[in-house]
Amino acid sequence: MKCPKCGQWNRASIPKCMRCGALLINAQPNSEPDWKNTLRDGQKSAAYYRMDEYGESDATSDARDVLANEMQEFKARKEEGQRQQRKLRTKSAQRGSAPSGMGVQIHISDDPMLFTGSSARRLRSKIPVSEAGSKTTVFHQNIDNEYINDSNENEPLWAEQEQYGTRWQVPQTREMTGLLPERTRRVRKFLRFLIFLLIIVLLALVGFFGYHYFQQRHETELENNRASVIASIVNDLAAHTIKIPGKDGSQIYIRELHTSYIVADGFATIEIPDHVWYDDVEDYLNEQMEVSLTPYLKTASGKQQPLEVISYTIDIPLSPIEMTSPDSLRTDVSSTMYSMSFVVRPGSRVFVNDTEVSDTVNSETGEFSYNATVQPIGDNLFTIRCRSQYCRENQLNVVLYREPQEIPLDLAADTYTSYNEEYMKISCTTLPGATVSIESPFSDMNITSLATTGAFSFYAHFDHIGTNTVKIRASYPGKKDSVINYNVYYLPPASTYTPKAWPLSEAGYAELVSNISYRAEHTQVYVVIGHLQYFVSEKPQMAVFYTSDDEKSRPVLLENYTNRNWELGTFYRIYADAYSTYNGMPWLCARYTYLN
């Protein structure tokens, strides 16, 4: 519609001119435009009739007409809803804005310079509109605290709305987030900070694990390029095998070995016996030794490129040495001469009290004996040192105790420790004028030179098979008596011993079990035939045999005093004499062993 005052064309639905504000008298805000009357809304859509071959017909409507009708209905409902909303907003404004009852208007201004800088803080400030004609949009707060547009779509945007209460101006370009509560903004800030912190932690973890992964990978690559040292055996001796990685065909020189090695299948393989490192060392060696190899890579030009030094630890074994006599490292003796026996590795160097006795070592068995001179002073220490090939030195300290004597009393140096006759001559010396007595079985004592030289002799009588103790005492006025207890192992020859053997039949076994004490006192000889079943002791050898025909019953325990070592499961014929009982079975001392 044209303004009668300024000639400005305006929309027919607004009551005032947009330029000068003059009243447009002919405006009808609620009337519909004339062009709407030309539309055919509400007319019934055309129907389509279809005939089949039997002459029957049916009417169907066009889908486009149906869609047009639905759109018209939707438009009508929308217009009705808008009218209802305008009525509700008008009533709410008259009653006051819920829940406080204060009318609140929010005017959205088109001026972009209205809020600058800290506009978010001024968002809630009340800015009254003083100039008429400022272009605003009115909002009211309903009962659910929701802001709704209270402007009539048919009214001009600049219409006065002061009757609805205090106005609020908000730039149109400003979003409504400023109206959120302070608590909601704090929660959002906290969530943003938490997400940022989680991202930082995630990046730190990725960096940490990535660093360790690449570090481990680098160490693995270095490890694969390093030489490996493996314990091995070369010629039945301890050794180490070294593998140095390299290019096939290249040469690696070892300075300590003065030898070059060819790389094959990616490695240069070097086998080094451990004894190579200490064979020439004469001083005392520890249990372990640290050794090093210095390898060099020979290049095509003939130069030697140094590689990483290889170090490893070797164990140095002790030289084997076994004492067979006496039975312990400390022994009481009563004679001047005492024979000690040992077993070492053949070819070993042996020293007794710093005196080398290597020439007495048996080259096949490694056995050797040493006749020790024992003085009547208490402890006599003998140090036996042994150095075997490929071993470090071993040492034994043996103490032979001989009671101190006020009256010297000694046996001849050639006195036997074992004998196969019933009588053995024993010669002694003591203090001239001393009184001598023999406290063990003997005969034919000769004391013709006792008063002048102190020499005397007699024949010891061995009344049982096995160890017999010869006891001699010397007395002198004003002095303490001197006593010698000398053990001699008596064993008759096999021609005399074996014919006395009784078989261990069922009756003989029962008789032996019933009269074991009597048979042991008279050293009755028995023959045991069968397989060695099991060992009770390895040193001394004590083994169980079954004397029944099926070798399942009548067990006996045999202690080995023969010159042969027994082996498990071997069939033997053994001659032994009664000694005692062991776990309810007879205990016999074996003197002669034969392979049956």
Side-chain angles (χ1 to χ4, degrees):
M1 178 175 285
K2 187 176 181 180
C3 179
K5 185 176 181 180
C6 64
Q8 173 70 28
W9 286 95
N10 300 277
R11 204 168 52 176
S13 60
I14 60 177
K16 294 181 181 182
C17 179
M18 295 179 62
R19 176 181 294 179
C20 63
L23 181 65
L24 301 177
I25 301 175
N26 295 329
Q28 297 179 1
N30 295 327
S31 64
E32 293 182 352
D34 295 336
W35 58 267
K36 286 188 177 182
N37 297 325
T38 62
L39 298 178
R40 293 182 296 176
D41 293 345
Q43 295 182 5
K44 185 176 181 181
S45 62
Y48 295 88
Y49 292 89
R50 292 179 177 85
M51 304 293 295
D52 58 8
E53 59 183 352
Y54 299 104
E56 296 182 0
S57 63
D58 59 340
T60 58
S61 59
D62 190 357
R64 291 173 293 182
D65 293 338
V66 174
L67 179 60
N69 292 335
E70 292 177 353
M71 293 178 63
Q72 292 174 5
E73 293 177 0
F74 176 73
K75 182 178 179 181
R77 290 197 304 270
K78 180 180 178 182
E79 292 174 353
E80 180 64 23
Q82 290 177 350
R83 286 193 294 270
Q84 293 295 333
Q85 287 181 0
R86 284 193 295 272
K87 292 179 181 181
L88 291 174
R89 285 197 295 268
T90 302
K91 292 180 181 180
S92 298
Q94 292 175 356
R95 290 195 304 265
S97 181
S100 62
M102 295 176 61
V104 179
Q105 290 182 347
I106 298 178
H107 295 264
I108 300 178
S109 176
D110 287 336
D111 187 3
M113 301 300 295
L114 182 60
F115 287 99
T116 58
S118 58
S119 59
R121 292 191 300 270
R122 300 200 300 271
L123 184 61
R124 298 182 180 182
S125 301
K126 296 180 180 180
I127 305 176
V129 179
S130 58
E131 295 182 1
S134 62
K135 187 176 181 180
T136 59
T137 301
V138 182
F139 288 84
H140 287 285
Q141 187 179 28
N142 62 13
I143 193 169
D144 295 324
N145 289 334
E146 297 179 353
Y147 291 93
I148 60 175
N149 186 354
D150 195 38
S151 299
N152 192 329
E153 63 178 0
N154 295 321
E155 295 178 354
L157 298 176
W158 46 267
E160 293 289 341
Q161 300 292 338
E162 295 181 356
Q163 69 273 17
Y164 293 129
T166 306
R167 298 178 182 180
W168 297 74
Q169 289 189 351
V170 181
Q172 284 184 339
T173 58
R174 180 74 175 176
E175 295 183 358
M176 299 303 293
T177 56
L179 301 176
L180 296 176
E182 184 68 21
R183 180 178 179 183
T184 303
R185 292 205 305 273
R186 288 198 301 268
V187 171
R188 288 190 175 183
K189 287 183 180 180
F190 174 75
L191 290 177
R192 286 196 295 269
F193 172 76
L194 183 60
I195 293 174
F196 176 76
L197 182 61
L198 290 176
I199 293 174
I200 296 297
V201 172
L202 181 61
L203 292 176
L205 290 176
V206 170
F208 175 78
F209 288 109
Y211 171 78
H212 279 274
Y213 169 76
F214 287 107
Q215 183 72 15
Q216 185 177 7
R217 184 176 178 180
H218 178 67
E219 292 178 356
T220 303
E221 292 178 355
L222 292 178
E223 189 68 24
N224 294 333
N225 294 327
R226 287 179 179 172
S228 61
V229 181
I230 305 172
S232 59
I233 300 294
V234 175
N235 296 328
D236 297 331
L237 296 174
H240 282 80
T241 300
I242 295 93
K243 288 188 174 183
I244 304 176
K247 185 178 180 180
D248 287 355
S250 60
Q251 293 187 14
I252 294 180
Y253 174 75
I254 305 299
R255 186 178 65 184
E256 288 77 8
L257 303 179
H258 308 289
T259 308
S260 296
Y261 297 87
I262 303 297
V263 177
D265 296 331
F267 293 95
T269 304
I270 308 167
E271 290 184 337
I272 307 176
D274 290 349
H275 65 82
V276 170
W277 302 101
Y278 57 83
D279 273 346
D280 299 331
V281 179
E282 295 293 338
D283 298 335
Y284 176 76
L285 295 173
N286 294 322
E287 295 181 4
Q288 293 182 332
M289 176 183 287
E290 293 288 336
V291 298
S292 298
L293 292 175
T294 308
Y296 292 87
L297 175 63
K298 288 187 176 181
T299 61
S301 61
K303 296 183 179 180
Q304 293 184 355
Q305 178 182 350
L307 301 178
E308 184 180 2
V309 177
I310 303 170
S311 299
Y312 61 96
T313 304
I314 62 172
D315 295 325
I316 306 177
L318 271 175
S319 300
I321 179 171
E322 179 184 1
M323 183 174 66
T324 57
S325 177
D327 296 333
S328 62
L329 296 177
R330 182 180 179 86
T331 305
D332 293 343
V333 299
S334 57
S335 59
T336 304
M337 301 300 297
Y338 188 86
S339 179
M340 298 185 294
S341 301
F342 303 88
V343 178
V344 297
R345 181 179 295 174
S348 301
R349 297 186 62 186
V350 181
F351 297 83
V352 178
N353 287 347
D354 297 329
T355 301
E356 186 171 2
V357 293
S358 303
D359 55 344
T360 64
V361 178
N362 190 300
S363 59
E364 295 181 357
T365 62
E367 298 178 350
F368 76 95
S369 298
Y370 180 77
N371 292 322
T373 301
V374 186
Q375 302 293 335
I377 56 174
D379 291 343
N380 292 260
L381 177 63
F382 296 89
T383 301
I384 295 89
R385 294 186 295 111
C386 174
R387 175 71 184 273
S388 302
Q389 189 179 19
Y390 311 139
C391 299
R392 57 191 171 97
E393 185 176 278
N394 196 359
Q395 177 176 305
L396 289 180
N397 293 322
V398 181
V399 176
L400 300 179
Y401 176 80
R402 186 180 178 189
E403 186 178 359
Q405 296 178 347
E406 295 184 6
I407 304 172
L409 178 61
D410 296 315
L411 297 176
D414 58 355
T415 305
Y416 296 108
T417 57
S418 61
Y419 207 64
N420 59 3
E421 299 292 339
E422 189 175 353
Y423 291 90
M424 183 182 78
K425 184 178 180 179
I426 296 179
S427 300
C428 305
T429 57
T430 186
L431 184 66
T435 302
V436 176
S437 60
I438 311 300
E439 299 180 357
S440 58
F442 73 99
S443 65
D444 299 332
M445 185 173 181
N446 184 0
I447 57 173
T448 55
S449 301
L450 180 61
T452 56
T453 61
F456 64 97
S457 64
F458 63 95
Y459 283 87
H461 178 229
F462 305 134
D463 56 358
H464 62 277
I465 298 172
T467 301
N468 290 259
T469 302
V470 179
K471 189 174 182 178
I472 307 168
R473 182 183 296 273
S475 302
Y476 195 88
K479 295 181 180 294
K480 183 181 179 181
D481 291 355
S482 296
V483 178
I484 290 180
N485 293 314
Y486 188 73
N487 294 327
V488 179
Y489 179 74
Y490 166 60
L491 177 63
S495 58
T496 304
Y497 184 83
T498 56
K500 299 178 181 179
W502 289 1
L504 278 175
S505 60
E506 184 176 357
Y509 183 85
E511 193 277 336
L512 173 61
V513 172
S514 301
N515 302 287
I516 186 67
S517 299
Y518 179 81
R519 297 307 176 192
E521 183 180 354
H522 292 81
T523 61
Q524 178 59 51
V525 180
Y526 294 89
V527 59
V528 177
I529 302 174
H531 290 86
L532 193 155
Q533 301 296 329
Y534 61 89
F535 282 105
V536 174
S537 172
E538 292 287 346
K539 185 178 179 182
Q541 282 191 325
M542 300 177 68
V544 174
F545 291 78
Y546 290 109
T547 59
S548 61
D549 294 338
D550 57 359
E551 297 189 15
K552 294 182 179 179
S553 60
R554 302 205 297 268
V556 295
L557 176 67
L558 298 184
E559 184 175 357
N560 191 2
Y561 285 93
T562 69
N563 295 326
R564 182 190 298 270
N565 285 328
W566 295 338
E567 296 180 1
L568 188 65
T570 307
F571 192 82
Y572 294 109
R573 184 176 76 256
I574 301 174
Y575 293 89
D577 50 78
Y579 176 71
S580 183
T581 57
Y582 178 85
N583 288 344
M585 69 180 78
W587 183 355
L588 309 180
C589 296
R591 310 298 179 178
Y592 292 97
T593 298
Y594 301 93
L595 289 173
N596 202 15

